């Protein structure tokens, strides 16, 4: 990359990393590596958060996360984890309806 472009990308860095081209080049290159890695990490982190929220909601109604997800698959209810976590947080009655449907299928209710 051209020197000006590297220094523009290094704007906001601390110390010599913002104005010394050799240090800036290394820091910008590393920053781009982190950005690439963390785009994938972000997806993992959000999926983990959604699973925790679903698990908390399911356990409030007496089901484990794995039993709940398995029951949804058996009932052929195709909802992604993002939407399930939104239901668990913001629409507790709708989420309870899903849990009850899974419980009926398992013969718990």
């Amino acid at each position: 990359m051209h020197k000006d472009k590297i220094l523009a990308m290094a704007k906001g860095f601390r110390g010599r990393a913002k104005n010394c081209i050799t240090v800036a080049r290394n820091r910008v290159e590393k920053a781009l590596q982190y950005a690439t890695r963390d785009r994938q990490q972000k997806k993992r982190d959000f999926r983990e958060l959604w699973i925790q929220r679903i698990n908390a909601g399911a356990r409030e109604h007496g089901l484990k996360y794995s039993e709940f997800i398995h029951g949804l698959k058996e009932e052929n209810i195709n909802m992604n984890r993002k939407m399930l976590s939104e239901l668990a947080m913001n629409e507790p009655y709708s989420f309870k309806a899903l849990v009850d449907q899974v419980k009926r299928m398992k013969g718990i209710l």
Side-chain angles (χ1 to χ4, degrees):
M1 280 192 272
H2 194 265
K3 182 172 124 176
D4 294 335
K5 189 171 183 181
I6 290 172
L7 290 176
M9 291 175 81
K11 188 174 181 181
F13 288 5
R14 295 181 64 155
R16 287 194 311 156
K18 69 175 168 280
N19 52 20
C20 179
I21 188 63
T22 53
V23 178
R25 183 175 285 123
N26 292 334
R27 295 313 309 146
V28 165
E29 190 174 310
K30 193 67 171 178
L32 292 173
Q33 289 173 0
Y34 286 142
T36 302
R37 180 197 69 190
D38 290 341
R39 278 194 296 277
Q40 294 304 315
Q41 188 65 46
K42 179 179 169 186
K43 293 170 181 67
R44 280 181 231 136
D45 290 343
F46 269 104
R47 182 182 167 96
E48 191 177 311
L49 176 66
W50 297 331
I51 289 172
Q52 288 171 0
R53 288 176 177 171
I54 295 166
N55 190 24
R59 283 181 188 266
E60 280 182 4
H61 302 293
L63 272 182
K64 294 179 185 170
Y65 169 79
S66 58
E67 294 171 345
F68 178 62
I69 293 295
H70 180 70
L72 289 178
K73 297 273 190 258
E74 291 286 313
E75 285 286 306
N76 208 17
I77 298 171
N78 297 320
M79 285 188 73
N80 62 22
R81 285 163 179 80
K82 181 179 179 180
M83 290 299 109
L84 285 171
S85 81
E86 287 294 318
L87 280 179
M89 285 180 55
N90 302 323
E91 297 284 335
Y93 294 114
S94 303
F95 189 76
K96 184 176 179 351
L98 286 174
V99 172
D100 289 344
Q101 193 167 353
V102 170
K103 281 184 171 180
R104 270 195 296 282
M105 184 271 302
K106 291 180 151 295
I108 297 171
L109 246 184

